[in-house]
Amino acid sequence: MNPPRWAGGRTSGLRVRLLLAFALLGVTTTAVVASGSYFQARRVILQQAQDAAVVSLTDQLKKAYPLRQLPPTQDQLDTMAQLLSDRDEEVVIYYHDMRAQSGLVLDPLTSDLRRSVQEGRVAWQRVSIDGQPVLLIGTQLMLDQPDGTSRPSGLEVYAVRSLIPEQQSIERLATLAWGTGGLSLVLAVLLALVAAGGVLRPVRELGRAAHRLGEGDLTTRLVVRGTDELADVARTFNNTAERLERQVGELRRMESDARRFVADVSHELRTPLAAMTAVTDVLDEEADRLPGDAGRAARLVSQETHSLTRLVEDLIEVSRFDSGTARLALDDVDVAAAVTATLRVRGWADRVRADLPPGVMARLDPRRLDVIVANLVGNALRHGAPPVTVRLHADPHWFTVEVRDHGPGLDPEVLPHVFDRFYKADTARTRSEGSGLGLAIAWENARLHRYAGQRGSLVAANAPNGGAVFTLHLPRAAEAALAGGVR
């Protein structure tokens, strides 16, 4: 089983998601702050430039006024235009159809701007001339009256001021804002890496610890750091692992005691059973001469004694598997001859159809092969229907023995349990000819044979056209090994 790949090694892991979340937050915050700062600063800079230009124009008009007569002459308008202009702005003056200007500025005035000025308001407008930003400011010169009031003179004064210095300031400010935003993004990513490391380290440790615990290392514990939620998770994991270790240890102890008890009882029963078997042999010889019930009782005692003897032998065999002491006694065997001998010794040769090609040699434990085949064929004869067939197939490294009957087959609910110990398909049959250990022992014997790291196998299934099929798969060159003791 390969160890899991934790979040640090996956493109969709928690580390990547944290980095993306921090980066997205940084980008969003940077964009909002930079954009807000840019537009606010732009508005302030332009407003200050606009206010300063208006104040400057009105101050200059106050210094240049009063005119001595109206309407003014063209020379007076030209002089006023030159007087009001400076190096940062040009001036355009209108008086009805008369026009004067300083410099070579084109006439950028719009109808909206002129209309506002003609109505007596101070007006301004930002436009672009030849791709350059400019500020247009317009006002009307007022005439003072003897009564202290003033009235419009009809003299319109417009200043055309370049906004290039302000635009350069805004561009520098934008560059600074976005540069600061970029640094903020880098800082957010670095903070994300630090935060991801702080969060993911205990998560990875928890994942590795859970993996070790799942593989059976019940001593696995986590180092608890701090008092946050992750520390609570680590403490919960440690408490769970401790309780699990304690409970599993108790279960293993109880299982070991139970196995030892079965093994001890089985061994203790062998001696009295041996004596009972000798007595039953005598009873078998005398049963036919005993009258009525006495004869039947003698035969029943003999039958039950032999059944008890087989059960004890099976329990002893199972205890060897559980304790890991079952060994293979390997020998070179002609598989076809061995299977034929199993059928002939038990008197099944005439009741079973055998397809056993000769020449299939294998190095295995012949006694265990005999036990497996005898269990499979005996089970087919007892619970299946004729004909019962045994077929042998082989390849260079493995061979297969298939035992099939033509009965009703195995119920789908029974199939997963056929190799369980003491399992009987009909739970109502509390007494039967078998002990319920035969197929379990056959399964253990098959798995005891290994080759190139692979175990032998025994599989139960139903044939498509009816009947149960048991398939034994064993290596042709088994390796000597102890039983694993684990199902």
Side-chain angles (χ1 to χ4, degrees):
M1 179 178 178
N2 294 326
R5 299 172 59 218
W6 302 110
R10 290 198 298 263
T11 57
S12 60
L14 185 57
R15 176 188 292 274
V16 176
R17 293 200 296 272
L18 282 174
L19 289 177
L20 290 177
F22 272 86
L24 181 60
L25 177 62
V27 169
T28 303
T29 304
T30 299
V32 171
V33 173
S35 300
S37 301
Y38 171 78
F39 287 111
Q40 180 67 17
R42 180 176 180 272
R43 186 185 66 79
V44 171
I45 290 174
L46 292 177
Q47 186 67 42
Q48 289 177 347
Q50 175 180 291
D51 295 343
V54 170
V55 171
S56 175
L57 179 61
T58 53
D59 288 345
Q60 292 182 31
L61 283 176
K62 290 178 180 179
K63 292 177 182 179
Y65 187 76
L67 289 175
R68 300 304 178 185
Q69 60 180 358
L70 285 176
T73 65
Q74 184 65 48
D75 289 341
Q76 288 176 322
L77 289 181
D78 291 339
T79 300
M80 182 178 290
Q82 295 299 325
L83 181 63
L84 294 176
S85 65
D86 58 28
R87 64 185 182 88
D88 291 329
E89 63 183 18
E90 302 292 342
V91 175
V92 180
I93 302 177
Y94 287 92
Y95 184 79
H96 300 301
D97 294 334
M98 298 174 63
R99 182 179 186 276
Q101 69 179 52
S102 63
L104 300 176
V105 64
L106 298 177
D107 189 357
L109 305 181
T110 64
S111 58
D112 291 339
L113 181 65
R114 291 204 62 183
R115 184 164 53 252
S116 297
V117 173
Q118 290 169 359
E119 292 174 354
R121 296 194 299 268
V122 178
W124 57 85
Q125 190 175 39
R126 289 191 293 269
V127 297
S128 177
I129 300 177
D130 295 333
Q132 302 296 326
V134 296
L135 175 64
L136 305 180
I137 305 169
T139 186
Q140 189 172 167
L141 192 63
M142 306 298 290
L143 291 177
D144 293 333
Q145 300 296 312
D147 58 0
T149 62
S150 61
R151 65 178 178 83
S153 65
L155 193 66
E156 303 171 25
V157 181
Y158 299 93
V160 182
R161 179 182 178 86
S162 173
L163 292 178
I164 291 179
E166 286 75 11
Q167 183 184 29
Q168 292 174 346
S169 297
I170 292 173
E171 290 176 350
R172 287 194 297 270
L173 182 62
T175 301
L176 179 61
W178 288 111
T180 304
L183 292 176
S184 300
L185 178 59
V186 173
L187 179 60
V189 172
L190 293 177
L191 289 175
L193 288 173
V194 174
V199 172
L200 292 180
R201 184 177 60 253
V203 172
R204 285 194 297 268
E205 291 176 356
L206 177 62
R208 288 192 290 265
H211 180 67
R212 292 196 302 271
L213 188 66
E215 288 186 334
D217 184 4
L218 300 180
T219 62
T220 301
R221 298 293 185 273
L222 290 172
V223 178
V224 179
R225 302 183 182 90
T227 58
D228 56 8
E229 288 81 358
L230 291 174
D232 291 339
V233 172
R235 276 190 288 271
T236 302
F237 177 87
N238 290 341
N239 293 335
T240 302
E242 183 178 355
R243 287 194 296 269
L244 182 61
E245 182 181 18
R246 188 165 54 249
Q247 292 173 0
V248 170
E250 183 66 18
L251 289 174
R252 286 175 175 172
R253 185 190 63 76
M254 294 171 62
E255 183 181 13
S256 177
D257 291 344
R259 288 175 176 173
R260 186 166 55 252
F261 174 77
V262 171
D264 292 343
V265 170
S266 300
H267 282 283
E268 291 297 327
L269 288 175
R270 296 186 76 175
T271 300
L273 281 174
M276 292 173 63
T277 301
V279 173
T280 56
D281 289 341
V282 176
L283 289 177
D284 283 338
E285 295 176 357
E286 300 294 332
D288 292 336
R289 292 192 289 271
L290 294 174
D293 293 339
R296 286 191 295 272
R299 284 188 289 271
L300 179 60
V301 169
S302 176
Q303 179 182 346
E304 293 298 326
T305 300
H306 287 296
S307 297
L308 182 58
T309 301
R310 286 195 300 271
L311 174 59
V312 170
E313 294 297 332
D314 287 345
L315 289 173
I316 292 174
E317 185 72 6
V318 167
S319 68
R320 292 194 185 102
F321 287 116
D322 289 342
S323 62
T325 59
R327 296 178 180 272
L328 291 176
L330 298 177
D331 196 4
D332 294 324
V333 175
D334 184 326
V335 178
V339 173
T340 301
T342 298
L343 300 177
R344 184 177 62 252
V345 167
R346 290 165 176 79
W348 296 337
D350 296 335
R351 302 172 58 188
V352 176
R353 295 179 181 177
D355 181 9
L356 307 171
V360 178
M361 301 299 297
R363 184 166 182 78
L364 47 76
D365 188 327
R367 183 185 70 82
R368 298 187 187 278
L369 176 63
D370 175 76
V371 170
I372 297 171
V373 174
N375 271 289
L376 297 182
V377 175
N379 192 68
L381 291 173
R382 284 193 302 272
H383 304 294
V388 174
T389 59
V390 180
R391 291 186 174 88
L392 172 64
H393 309 279
D395 61 38
H397 300 291
W398 297 78
F399 70 89
T400 299
V401 176
E402 181 184 278
V403 178
R404 177 184 175 185
D405 64 66
H406 289 75
L410 298 169
D411 190 282
E413 296 181 356
V414 174
L415 275 174
H417 306 286
V418 290
F419 299 115
D420 292 351
R421 296 172 183 176
F422 298 106
Y423 181 79
K424 295 179 181 180
D426 186 359
T427 56
R429 292 185 302 155
T430 57
R431 294 281 297 162
S432 66
E433 185 176 345
S435 64
L437 291 173
L439 289 178
I441 292 174
W443 186 84
E444 295 280 7
N445 279 324
R447 285 172 53 83
L448 197 57
H449 292 76
R450 302 187 187 192
Y451 173 73
Q454 297 184 19
R455 292 175 179 266
S457 63
L458 181 58
V459 179
N462 287 319
N465 54 351
V469 180
F470 287 83
T471 304
L472 173 67
H473 194 57
L474 293 181
R476 296 185 66 172
E479 302 166 349
L482 291 176
V486 179
R487 291 179 64 82

